[in-house]
Every structure is written in C-alpha cells, then in structure tokens.
Amino acid sequence: MSREVRLADIARARSGDKGDLANVALFAPDDLLYAALCREVTAERVRVHFGRFVRGAVERFEVPNVRALNFVLHQALDGGAARSLRSDPLGKSYGSLLLRMRVTLTEDEARRAPPAQSPPL
Amino acid sequence: MTSIRIGAGQGFYGDTPDGAVAVAERGDVAYICCDALAELTMAILQRDRIRDPGGGFARDLPSFMRALLGPARSRGIRVISNAGGLNPSGAAAAVQEVARELGIDGLRVATVTGDDITARVDELREAGEELRNMDTGADIATIRDRIVFAVAYLGARPVVEALERGADVVITGRVADASLFVAPMVHELGWKWDDWDRLATGVVLGHLMECSGQATGGNFSGDWWNIPDLDRVGYPVCEVSADGTALLTKPAQTGGRVSVDTVAEQLLYEVLDPRLYMNPDVVADFTTVRLGQAGADTVSITGVRGRPRPDRLKAIVGHLDGWLGAATIGYSWPHALAKARHAALLIDRLAKRAGVVPIEQVTEFIGVNSLHGDAADVETAADIAEVTLRVAGRFHSEADASRFPRLATPLALNGPPFIGGAGTPQPPRALMGVWPTLVERRLVEDAVAVSVASAGR
C-alpha cells in the first residue's frame, strides 16, 4: 500500500538566488521521511516540476546533518535578479513551488507524516 | 574561556534599524555587524552613483546610524557595516556627519576600500585575468562596452586591521556578508588565518546572521503563524568561544523563534554545493555543522570543518542589459483569467502594429501563475475573484520600454469589462546583468586600503 502526498504536507523549504542560479533547500522532519525525500525527489523530477522557469540543469546535494536536500537550479532566474522580467526575480517563492510536488510514500512513511496544520484564516 | 558576543544589525538595504537597536540595548554584545549588500543592491547603488557621484552607498545609512550610534556608543559597541557599497569613503563621511549631529565626540570611523575594480577591468585583463563568466564560461569581451561596475568580494582581514587600529565604526564596500562577522571573532579570539575549522565556524555563524530576522523566525516555512511578535523580531546574537563552539540566540523581550528548524532553513539559504561554501578566507563544509537546541531560543553550533581558502576571489561585474517596460491591468470575476488572457492577446497585437516588439517577454497572471509558473494549478483559477495581468518586455531602447506599457493603457476603456488597478504606466527601468567571475587574489588585495579618521575633532 502506498499514499500520495504533497511535499507541503511533510516537508519545509527555503529558496534563494545567486546570479542566474537559484537554490531550493528541502527539509524533512525525521530520518524516515528524509529517506523518502531522497528516494522520491530526484534532480530530474525537480527540473520537470519547475517547467519553463529552469532553462539549465538541476543538481542535488544531500545535507543529512540537517535532513535536507539542496537543489541548485541553473539558468533559473531569467538572467538574474537585476535583469529579470518576472514578478519574483529573486526566486523567493521557489521553495513553495517545490512544496507543490506530489510524492508517493509507503504506509509506514505516511503514518510518520506530521499531523496537518493550518494557520487561522 | 574567552568568548565574544556579536549581534546582527541589518539583513539588507532598506532593513529597519529597530532590530539593531534592540540588539544594542538588550543583546549584551560587543559588536554589531550590518549587511546591506546583495547582487541586486549593487545594481541599485550603481544607478545612484551615475545620478550623483557622491552617492553609491546605502542611502538609508545616515538614518540607520542616527538610530544606532547612540545606543551603541553608550555601551562601547563597535559597528561594522558594508553599507559603503560602491562609495565607502562617501559613506564614512556621512557617518561622521551623523556623529557630529548627535554630539558624539571622537568617534573613530574606518573605511575599507579596494574591492571596487570597475576602473581596473582592462588592467586586470592585461595582467592575464580572463574574467570569464564562472557559470557559463562566456568571454567578458561580449559585455565589455556595457560594464557599469565591477567589485571583488573581500574577506575579514582589512576589517580586522581596522579593529586593531581602534575603529569604533568600520565602513566597507563589498566585504563578503559572512566576513563582516568573522572579523570581530578573529580580532577578539585570536584565531589564526590558517585555523580553517574555526574560520569555517565563523563563516557559518556569519552566514546564519547576515539575513537578520531570517534566522530567528522570519520566512520560516513551518508553523509560521505560531511564531510570536514578528513585528518586533529579535535579530540574531551569537556567543562564540575561542575553541570555536558557539550559541545562536536573540535579545530578551523580542519576538521571533530560534530553533534548530529556523536556523537550519537559514543555513542553506543561497547555498550551492554545501560541502564547498566559498568565502575569501576559508572554504566551509556545511555538511559538518551540528545544530542542537541548547535552551529557550538558543541553538548550539558545533563540529564545523573548513578547508584552505580559495586561491582566487569571486567578483561580480554589472553590465547594462536592455530596458524593462511593464504594464499591469487587474480584472475581476466572472471569467477574470479569461479576460486577462484576452487582454494579453490584444496587447501583443497592439505592440506588433506599433513596432514596439520586445526582445523577450514575460506574460504573468498575478494571482494564478506569476510565482509558480508551469506548476500552478490553472484549473482551480476558473472561478477566481480577481487576476492581475502583467506583461513585461525587454527592449534595446529606453524609448521603446517607455512606449510599451502605454500601448496597454487604452484597454481600460477599450478592452474586456470590470477592470481594477490599471494604474499609470510604470517608468522604464534599466536592466542589469550580473556577471560572476574569479580574479587572482593578489591583484585585488594589493590595492586594499584601510583608513581611520576621528569625528568631531
């Protein structure tokens, strides 16, 4: 048995810019879910998920000491913040963009997912 | 054991001085370090410098110092800031002027220069520096005639020299963000310049602190709604021991949260390969950092390993890259997205007929896909209450960039119904490319100079 979830249900993220490169760090709440992220969220999947925003390659780095995957997106900011035509020239929202991705968890992993929390409207 | 407490005062050009003042008043720190610069900021400061040769430093530096100098001076806190941007000497003079206004006598203000290599680009190329784009490998000849600034990232050494010479305030240009924080650690704790693990610890702390509230609860992607009082978020304060162990916390009676999670998010902010975080003084391995909750709003940082500093310094070269012309029109329910799409089509036709065709164009539907692009769920937007169309084009000439948004204005009367927020056309803006490159360390460092002057004398 397996279950599909959104990354936003199980993970946190932060993104930033460096020239025309963006980085997105994805954080897992525990070791089991970190292993699930390592299995599910490949560089290639991230490249496809970002669509036309990313014109270059995507690299993935494992940062197990903080249970994170760090994705480096090349040619991802429309030439860089000061020459970008976009509303989000710094890629600040790229973290949330990644959290939209759907991944498949085992029953065991799904049980470990933290309870859903939402802010008051 | 010897230790030192250092606070963060500023995370970007435009940041509030409130965080710095709280750090001065309640952070029990000996130093406050302020990072005002980012790649985008350098481009903004360059535009200021073109308009006014006396400009080119962060324009909010005087008002920032007006708030901070009093509380810092009365406690003997030394302030380090890279708000000098492209004109550190002008910035230092502005700080002196503020000190005079406040009646602060004898303030020693140091200036660090030499990072600005704008006038040296050809000289460096003649000396054998290719200055290729380190991301794309492109030849700098392709942008040579459009270069408007070039700066190299300096490390902590000139700031340490300024502190050794008794500076109360140190004003720099493009000193690397983290190095502003490394300098007082080296100065106070006697770290050696080849003690890579301790220097790497300093770089990790500086990296965590240089975005002010982003380490203490700001932009946290977890349960942000439970974080108390972000309107008076406490800026980071670190306590570093001579052996290189450290705590990260925030001043008492401030908002925010310092947890392993808030700190971990900032650890990887704007990081590429985490094993090789490049700083002018050391290469830090962020995969060795151990974070632990050491108390309420207190996180311990240990285990950081470093490797010898890079041979070459990073530099960025700003160059003109056309003009931005952009127009926005808001549309309301029903069929808000369909209306915005139709208006975009009309603007394309108008632009073609007028011969004002962008070299590149971005068409965004704000509220639907401007932030998430192809990953956005457009189907859920079918019944959306409102959508703002934004069309942005890049043009060779300022005149075309100015004409483009004006083509859209008549749609307020001539286009689809129920608009809102069709404002006056935005003025065109110069676009600037930022060219990352590497330059021989010695060629830059030989030109670095530190001067110290006293105010009120």
Side-chain angles (χ1 to χ4, degrees):
Chain A
M1 288 293 281
S2 61
R3 206 170 92 194
E4 194 185 70
V5 298
R6 270 201 156 146
L7 286 179
D9 298 330
I10 58 167
R12 292 178 293 104
R14 178 166 294 184
S15 52
D17 74 303
K18 193 137 289 189
D20 197 19
L21 277 63
N23 91 301
V24 184
L26 181 69
F27 297 85
D30 63 32
D31 291 340
L32 187 71
L33 287 169
Y34 181 55
L37 294 187
C38 290
R39 180 190 69 230
E40 292 289 315
V41 192
T42 62
E44 177 57 17
R45 274 207 72 189
V46 170
R47 194 186 61 76
V48 171
H49 181 71
F50 273 74
R52 280 166 290 186
F53 278 177
V54 178
R55 296 170 189 157
V58 172
E59 294 176 277
R60 186 182 96 164
F61 299 96
E62 295 182 10
V63 200
N65 51 321
V66 286
R67 291 194 208 99
L69 293 173
N70 189 44
F71 296 92
V72 176
L73 284 45
H74 293 254
Q75 293 174 271
L77 291 171
D78 199 23
R83 66 93 63 212
S84 170
L85 305 180
R86 291 190 195 149
S87 286
D88 180 18
L90 294 162
K92 296 274 187 194
S93 62
Y94 277 6
S96 71
L97 202 171
L98 179 57
L99 292 177
R100 295 184 79 96
M101 184 187 282
R102 291 180 187 282
V103 296
T104 305
L105 300 184
T106 64
E107 276 301 311
D108 218 25
E109 290 161 353
R111 267 197 297 277
R112 289 286 279 281
Q117 289 188 77
S118 294
L121 202 58
Chain B
M1 193 196 310
T2 319
S3 68
I4 182 77
R5 279 173 73 95
I6 300 165
Q10 184 176 14
F12 67 103
Y13 179 19
D15 203 352
T16 169
D18 295 354
V21 171
V23 166
E25 290 175 342
R26 299 194 295 282
D28 189 25
V29 298
Y31 292 85
I32 293 179
C33 305
C34 304
D35 173 36
L37 300 181
E39 289 174 355
L40 182 60
T41 313
M42 302 308 287
I44 293 166
L45 294 178
Q46 169 56 22
R47 282 181 214 130
D48 285 356
R49 186 164 73 170
I50 288 170
R51 276 195 285 266
D52 170 15
F57 60 88
R59 274 192 275 180
D60 59 355
L61 179 67
S63 62
F64 198 94
M65 287 297 178
R66 219 167 273 129
L68 179 59
L69 276 186
R73 182 70 166 172
S74 64
R75 293 166 181 82
I77 298 168
R78 302 164 89 177
V79 179
I80 300 166
S81 171
N82 63 10
L86 291 164
N87 184 2
S89 304
V95 173
Q96 304 267 22
E97 180 59 35
V98 171
R100 271 189 291 276
E101 267 174 45
L102 296 174
I104 295 174
D105 214 34
L107 189 78
R108 283 157 298 182
V109 180
T111 313
V112 175
T113 55
D115 58 304
D116 186 345
I117 53 172
T118 309
R120 300 183 58 203
V121 168
D122 293 326
E123 173 204 328
L124 292 169
R125 290 174 77 197
E126 278 157 27
E129 297 300 295
E130 290 198 29
L131 304 179
R132 283 185 183 280
N133 186 310
M134 61 188 270
D135 292 342
T136 66
D139 189 335
I140 195 156
T142 58
I143 61 158
R144 177 64 195 94
D145 57 345
R146 294 183 283 132
I147 292 174
V148 286
F149 76 83
V151 289
Y153 285 76
L154 305 183
R157 285 179 189 235
V159 181
V160 171
E161 184 189 330
L163 296 174
E164 283 168 352
R165 288 167 58 185
D168 301 303
V169 177
V170 184
I171 300 293
T172 76
R174 194 49 286 191
V175 166
D177 306 347
S179 299
L180 301 168
F181 296 82
V182 173
M185 297 177 205
V186 169
H187 177 65
E188 293 284 339
L189 303 174
W191 291 351
K192 301 285 178 277
W193 289 112
D194 61 355
D195 190 343
W196 309 117
D197 292 345
R198 284 184 178 78
L199 293 173
T201 301
V203 165
V204 165
L205 290 166
H207 171 74
L208 289 172
M209 298 172 76
E210 54 106 343
C211 282
S212 59
Q214 229 178 213
T216 51
N219 270 336
F220 181 58
S221 75
D223 63 329
W224 54 265
W225 57 91
N226 291 323
I227 296 180
D229 302 331
L230 284 172
D231 57 300
R232 51 185 190 95
V233 63
Y235 282 8
V237 168
C238 71
E239 182 166 332
V240 201
S241 298
D243 68 357
T245 58
L247 297 172
L248 193 77
T249 183
K250 66 186 184 71
Q253 297 146 44
T254 55
R257 180 196 291 170
V258 184
S259 70
V260 169
D261 286 346
T262 65
V263 172
E265 281 196 15
Q266 186 57 19
L267 182 68
L268 295 182
Y269 178 65
E270 292 179 345
V271 168
L272 305 179
D273 183 343
R275 297 163 301 188
L276 300 171
Y277 184 85
M278 309 298 270
N279 172 273
D281 296 315
V282 65
V283 178
D285 183 348
F286 282 15
T287 66
T288 60
V289 178
R290 284 200 301 272
L291 303 177
Q293 197 73 42
D297 287 318
T298 305
V299 165
S300 62
I301 290 137
T302 53
V304 188
R305 305 299 301 271
R307 297 189 185 92
R309 67 183 197 177
D311 293 334
R312 298 164 72 74
L313 295 178
K314 185 178 174 181
I316 53 171
V317 182
H319 55 99
L320 296 174
D321 210 5
W323 291 84
L324 168 72
T328 58
I329 311 177
Y331 288 96
S332 70
W333 182 94
H335 312 304
L337 179 57
K339 292 171 188 168
R341 280 205 170 117
H342 191 70
L345 181 81
L346 298 176
I347 291 169
D348 280 351
R349 283 196 210 154
L350 287 162
K352 277 204 189 72
R353 202 176 311 140
V356 187
V357 179
I359 315 162
E360 293 165 46
Q361 184 175 326
V362 164
T363 301
E364 299 175 324
F365 302 101
I366 296 172
V368 178
N369 71 354
S370 71
L371 302 180
H372 286 180
D374 292 339
D377 189 352
V378 175
E379 276 168 35
T380 61
D383 201 44
I384 198 166
E386 55 201 74
V387 171
T388 297
L389 166 67
R390 178 172 176 273
V391 283
R394 189 164 78 89
F395 299 88
H396 287 301
S397 75
E398 183 177 8
D400 279 355
S402 175
R403 283 175 70 198
F404 181 68
R406 278 185 262 151
L407 295 170
T409 314
L411 293 180
L413 299 183
N414 304 347
F418 299 116
I419 64 157
T424 46
Q426 298 159 20
R429 176 162 67 76
L431 292 170
M432 204 174 292
V434 171
W435 179 278
T437 190
L438 295 170
V439 59
E440 168 62 36
R441 173 185 290 276
R442 183 182 48 79
L443 293 174
V444 174
E445 291 185 344
D446 283 354
V448 171
V450 179
S451 64
V452 186
S454 284
R457 296 275 163 89

